Amino acid sequence: MRFARACAYANPAARRPPHRSSSASFLKRIPEVRALLRTDVEAAFQGDPAASTVDEIILAYPYIEAVAIQRMAHVLYKLCLPLIPRIMTEWAHSRTGIDIHPGAQIGSHFFIDHGTGVVIGETAEIGRHVKLYQGVALIARSLAGGQALKGKKRHPTLEDRVTIYAGTTVMGGDTVIGAGSTIGANVSVTHSIPARSLAYHEDRQLTILDKDKRGGAVDDWMI
């Protein structure tokens, strides 16, 4: 019933009208969402030495709540159901401090360590086995274009096995962080970074290294 009421708020200019059978379509996707969430819990347990049990992660980690709600909201977002997906993720935002737009595409084995202050925009694309720390922002370079930017790729892409440390901002829809790369803390990234790179600030300058040519010096940055 609430899905049907939400359809009344559909934007005529939307890509396609929301399904009146959205509830049935949503329920059919629940097993898929549950399977993805299992991989998220696994990633948290394998990636966080502070985790004592899987149950602790499920019951106590705020990022699991935020990601679970976002994954369900994303299904409704793809069904073009208005209002409800955004309400869901904003509710999660208010509870956890983690702001993930329902439109963001997130692969399996996703882990946000601590999580407070993380922002992930609508058109962000996140691959598999990605790890973010607190305060990471995947945002648009500029919103000065307003509604003219609707439907365009505004937020960055993170390929598989990317790690981004605390306080880092990655901007722009054409920005791609290549697979296997690591970005250190408090870095501002506005351009793409090649695969297997290490990016960090050194003497107030951004340094990018090839992990495979650097040897053992960067082993502590690996996940």
Side-chain angles (χ1 to χ4, degrees), residues 10 41 43 46 52 61 76 81 94 102 112 114 118 122 145 155 161 175 206:
V41 173
Q46 296 298 328
S52 57
Y61 278 41
L76 298 175
L81 189 78
S94 69
I112 305 176
H114 301 292
V118 166
E122 178 183 23
H155 305 94
R161 299 187 181 276
T175 300
L206 179 64

Side-chain angles (χ1 to χ4, degrees), residues 162-178:
V162 166
T163 299
I164 304 182
Y165 280 82
T168 284
T169 298
V170 184
M171 292 181 281
D174 57 352
T175 300
V176 178
I177 307 303

Side-chain angles (χ1 to χ4, degrees), residues 49-203:
S52 57
T53 65
V54 167
D55 288 342
E56 178 186 356
I57 293 167
I58 295 172
L59 295 172
Y61 278 41
Y63 109 91
I64 284 292
E65 181 173 2
V67 172
I69 291 170
Q70 194 277 342
R71 289 197 185 282
M72 291 187 288
H74 182 70
V75 173
L76 298 175
Y77 175 90
K78 296 295 285 184
L79 292 171
C80 293
L81 189 78
L83 288 181
I84 291 179
R86 192 61 184 270
I87 291 170
M88 291 169 65
T89 54
E90 288 301 337
W91 184 81
H93 179 197
S94 69
R95 282 180 54 86
T96 66
I98 299 170
D99 182 2
I100 312 177
H101 193 283
Q105 301 179 50
I106 302 175
S108 68
H109 299 84
F110 182 51
F111 179 33
I112 305 176
D113 199 356
H114 301 292
T116 304
V118 166
V119 178
I120 301 175
E122 178 183 23
T123 62
E125 298 178 37
I126 297 175
R128 298 170 297 175
H129 296 275
V130 168
K131 183 176 183 179
L132 308 181
Y133 285 80
Q134 67 273 17
V136 169
L138 308 181
I139 61 174
R141 188 174 287 112
S142 172
L143 296 178
Q147 288 295 312
L149 297 174
K150 185 180 291 293
K152 296 183 178 180
K153 181 79 163 69
R154 307 184 303 278
H155 305 94
T157 296
L158 311 184
E159 295 183 342
D160 295 348
R161 299 187 181 276
V162 166
T163 299
I164 304 182
Y165 280 82
T168 284
T169 298
V170 184
M171 292 181 281
D174 57 352
T175 300
V176 178
I177 307 303
S181 290
T182 299
I183 303 178
N186 300 312
V187 176
S188 180
V189 179
T190 59
H191 298 87
S192 294
I193 290 178
R196 300 289 303 162
S197 295
L198 170 61
Y200 64 97
H201 279 300
E202 185 175 59
D203 297 329

Side-chain angles (χ1 to χ4, degrees), residues 3-4 6-7 10 16-26 75-76 78-82:
F3 286 176
C7 290
R16 55 187 175 86
H19 295 293
R20 290 286 174 177
S21 59
S22 292
S23 57
S25 300
F26 171 70
V75 173
L76 298 175
K78 296 295 285 184
L79 292 171
C80 293
L81 189 78

